[in-house]
Amino acid sequence: MPVGEAEAKDRKAARTIGVVLLVLFVALAAGALMLYPMMASFVEVHFAPGLGLKQAAVIAFFITLAVFVVFAIAAGDGLIGELQYMLGGFMSFFVVVWLMVAWIF
């Protein structure tokens, strides 16, 4: 097969794939628009106020404590040799988990 024919065949295949992808994207966008009312009611029901910052702080503390105990055991000398880094990491991780738990729940 000459080079020109192979290039034309490749262009035709690329054009066909592009059209198929465009049709799939349009169908996906149309489906998302049709599902919008149902998604809005889902968000309204499931994102109602729930867990406060106080309860989230308790949950985050125990999650962080469990994770860092696992980290310390896996590190070997983590409980003694790397304590200053573990404390800083603990506080950072605690704040992130605390705010994420309060935000999500």
Side-chain angles (χ1 to χ4, degrees):
M1 183 181 319
V3 175
E5 290 177 21
E7 186 176 337
K9 186 177 177 182
D10 288 343
R11 284 181 191 235
K12 183 177 179 183
R15 194 174 302 120
T16 304
I17 291 171
V19 169
V20 169
L21 288 175
L22 182 65
V23 168
L24 287 174
F25 179 74
V26 169
L28 182 66
L33 284 174
M34 289 180 196
L35 284 174
Y36 180 73
M38 190 171 58
M39 288 187 298
S41 66
F42 176 81
V43 168
E44 181 181 341
V45 169
H46 292 289
F47 289 138
L51 200 60
L53 286 175
K54 288 181 182 180
Q55 294 95 359
V58 173
I59 294 169
F61 176 78
F62 287 110
I63 290 173
T64 306
L65 187 66
V67 168
F68 271 85
V69 166
V70 170
F71 284 171
I73 291 170
D77 65 341
L79 287 174
I80 298 171
E82 309 269 336
L83 189 60
Q84 68 273 19
Y85 302 113
M86 295 264 309
L87 289 175
F90 180 85
M91 288 306 298
S92 303
F93 194 73
F94 172 73
V95 168
V96 169
V97 171
W98 177 27
L99 296 176
M100 285 301 203
V101 166
W103 177 55
I104 291 172
F105 298 109

